[in-house]
Amino acid sequence: MSNTEQAKKGIMICGHGSRDKDAEREFGLVAKGLKERFPELPVEYGFLEFSAPNIHMGLNSLLSQGVEEIYAVPGMLFAATHAKNDIPSVLTTYEEKNAGLHITYGRELGLQDDMIEAFQARIYESLGLDPNNPPENLYDTLLVVVGRGTSDTGANAEAAKLTRIVNENMGFGWADTVYSGVTYPSVGVGLENLMKLGYKRIVVAPYFLFTGRLIKRIQGYVEKVAKENPEIEFIQTPYLSDHPRVIDAFQNRVEEIMQGELQTGEETLMNSFKRRLAAGEVDVHHHHAEFVDPQDDTQGLSVSDKEHEHEHAHEHGHDHSHGHGHSHDHGHSHEHGHTHDHSHSHGHSHDHGHGHSHGVYKHIGHPMGPRTMIGEGICCCFMGQFTDEILAEEKDKIDNDCTKTAFAHK
């Protein structure tokens, strides 16, 4: 292939975005690492929401560099709603608006050997051990893997599968999975239950790519529990970040597209999205990336970001007093099987129509699930799924002001 033809191709890494500026900066490290692997290709990145650059901005940059064929990969560990629906929606919309542009959407990172080995290396490092010369076993130690947690059963199952693989590879005495998101058990309840097994050394390993509010919440909770249980040694494993094996995993996903491997075998994420969309099975929730001015670099939470958010909320008459930090167009309703007339005493009404969304989770009321996180600034997408009965039962947590971060509840 000639250099001229090669110059017309580019790589786009699509992330979710975070209210945490550190996470935004760290995501850029992946793009930097991938650029070193593909020095001849333009590499850009963008986010669905909260952060800049958004996906449109990254795509615009590639377009301005003369790129006509884009290899887009989701910067996500597992394929849940964002990787399955939201990113394909953004990419499809953009491709349709730009004649002559072709975008191929790759696979999520998944449980590649590179990802597993990166995770194991982080765990060994947190234990002060050499990943290249590990001990035969760690039978005296309990491993607690913290998964993101979603309304997608398959994605949750992948986190549990990871735990089993790592446990057998490294030889822990026992291992289990807890979740920081919308499934169960939550970090707080899960860790409290696992402490009853009696292990004197517990490794808490978050399977996350980058920092963010959830990582900091997890760290804060572990520190709290460690103080309350001085007889137990708690070891916190750092998140994956731009570990070289993580960059390897991203490289693998790009090369799959380059080599045409996505056209054979199982259905791709994009093909699945288009099939389900045509069948009316996809409820597409539009994100910032589809609507904001591509030149508007105001999606984080800097001083200028907050001013922009306030102005946007004022324009649309929204009362965002609950600190979620995203100014969405509340233009559609969710049908969760119960009314949304409950107006909570902590000062925000749940209209649930904003662009940011999570899938409906059928176990939202599980005693060890998301309800244990009420009072921690839980996203109103989840708050809107709680029945009036659950909200009444958890009224003491709500009254304590759910706009602030608190530790997990029993």
Side-chain angles (χ1 to χ4, degrees):
M1 181 175 290
S2 70
N3 291 333
T4 302
E5 291 174 325
Q6 190 68 31
K8 293 183 180 180
K9 302 181 188 301
I11 298 170
M12 179 70 197
I13 311 170
C14 305
H16 176 264
S18 172
R19 299 182 185 93
D20 191 302
K21 285 295 183 181
D22 291 332
E24 183 179 309
R25 285 186 285 270
E26 290 176 1
F27 196 90
L29 296 176
V30 168
K32 181 176 181 291
L34 206 54
K35 178 63 180 175
E36 294 172 357
R37 304 294 178 87
F38 298 97
E40 75 284 3
L41 297 181
V43 178
E44 299 291 344
Y45 67 96
F47 305 99
L48 278 171
E49 57 189 350
F50 302 134
S51 304
N54 62 36
I55 293 177
H56 269 184
M57 295 162 74
L59 294 171
N60 283 345
S61 178
L62 290 174
L63 214 58
S64 70
Q65 297 174 65
V67 170
E68 295 176 336
E69 184 174 349
I70 296 175
Y71 308 134
V73 292
M76 297 175 182
L77 297 170
F78 302 122
T81 303
H82 296 308
K84 289 180 176 179
N85 296 346
D86 299 328
I87 294 175
S89 173
V90 175
L91 297 178
T92 300
T93 300
Y94 191 88
E95 187 179 43
E96 290 172 350
K97 291 180 179 179
N98 291 276
L101 179 67
H102 178 67
I103 301 176
T104 306
Y105 183 49
R107 290 199 289 165
E108 76 284 359
L109 292 169
L111 293 182
Q112 300 180 62
D113 289 344
D114 288 318
M115 294 302 297
I116 293 169
E117 290 178 21
F119 189 46
Q120 291 175 173
R122 291 296 191 214
I123 295 171
Y124 280 130
E125 290 165 6
S126 69
L127 288 165
L129 300 171
D130 181 1
N132 298 314
N133 187 29
E136 184 176 342
N137 64 69
L138 295 161
Y139 292 162
D140 63 341
T141 304
L142 168 67
L143 172 66
V144 181
V145 173
V146 184
R148 173 63 182 84
T150 79
S151 57
D152 189 290
T153 302
N156 294 336
E158 289 293 290
K161 180 179 178 180
L162 169 71
T163 301
R164 185 67 193 187
I165 292 171
V166 171
N167 185 21
E168 293 206 24
N169 286 350
M170 300 180 70
F172 283 95
W174 190 253
D176 211 337
T177 314
V178 299
Y179 300 88
S180 64
V182 66
T183 189
Y184 62 90
S186 65
V187 178
V189 173
L191 191 53
E192 288 172 0
N193 287 339
L194 289 169
M195 281 192 293
K196 297 173 185 176
L197 294 175
Y199 284 89
K200 297 304 179 184
R201 185 165 73 160
I202 299 176
V203 175
V204 181
Y207 192 62
F208 282 66
L209 277 174
F210 310 109
T211 190
R213 298 201 315 171
L214 294 180
I215 282 288
K216 293 172 181 177
R217 181 186 299 169
I218 293 163
Q219 293 170 339
Y221 185 79
V222 175
E223 289 168 4
K224 175 179 180 288
V225 172
K227 283 184 181 179
E228 295 172 350
N229 299 272
E231 74 283 2
I232 301 176
E233 179 187 7
F234 285 89
I235 297 169
Q236 296 201 55
T237 295
Y239 46 90
L240 294 165
S241 190
D242 60 336
H243 189 282
R245 299 308 293 268
V246 172
I247 305 302
D248 289 342
F250 272 101
Q251 180 179 348
N252 294 340
R253 291 304 188 229
V254 172
E255 289 178 344
E256 283 180 348
I257 303 174
M258 290 179 167
Q259 296 162 10
E261 295 178 7
L262 292 176
Q263 306 309 314
T264 60
E266 63 185 51
E267 186 178 49
T268 67
L269 287 174
M270 183 59 82
N271 288 342
S272 172
F273 168 74
K274 290 181 177 179
R275 174 182 55 78
R276 290 179 291 109
L277 184 66
E281 299 172 1
V282 179
D283 182 16
V284 177
H285 297 282
H286 298 291
H287 287 69
H288 285 298
E290 293 192 76
F291 294 110
V292 299
D293 180 347
Q295 303 305 315
D296 182 8
D297 188 358
T298 53
Q299 295 195 57
L301 284 180
S302 64
V303 173
S304 61
D305 296 331
K306 291 178 180 178
E307 290 174 354
H308 170 77
E309 177 190 346
H310 174 75
E311 291 169 2
H312 183 79
H314 179 73
E315 287 175 9
H316 294 277
H318 299 162
D319 179 15
H320 278 301
S321 58
H322 54 299
H324 289 294
H326 47 276
S327 50
H328 301 294
D329 180 6
H330 290 57
H332 68 270
S333 61
H334 292 229
E335 297 179 2
H336 297 313
H338 63 276
T339 62
H340 290 208
D341 294 333
H342 39 271
S343 177
H344 309 317
S345 59
H346 48 286
H348 66 272
S349 60
H350 292 295
D351 188 11
H352 316 303
H354 57 265
H356 171 70
S357 63
H358 298 274
V360 176
Y361 186 55
K362 66 179 180 180
H363 298 300
I364 196 73
H366 193 286
M368 293 193 294
R371 65 188 296 167
T372 68
M373 294 182 285
I374 293 176
E376 299 180 35
I378 187 171
C379 178
C380 62
C381 297
F382 298 143
M383 289 295 293
Q385 294 186 40
F386 293 128
T387 63
D388 291 333
E389 181 181 5
I390 291 174
L391 292 170
E393 292 172 357
E394 305 292 351
K395 187 176 184 300
D396 59 325
K397 299 173 193 172
I398 295 172
D399 289 343
N400 285 335
D401 186 1
C402 73
T403 68
K404 297 179 180 178
T405 300
F407 293 115
H409 300 275
K410 289 185 179 180

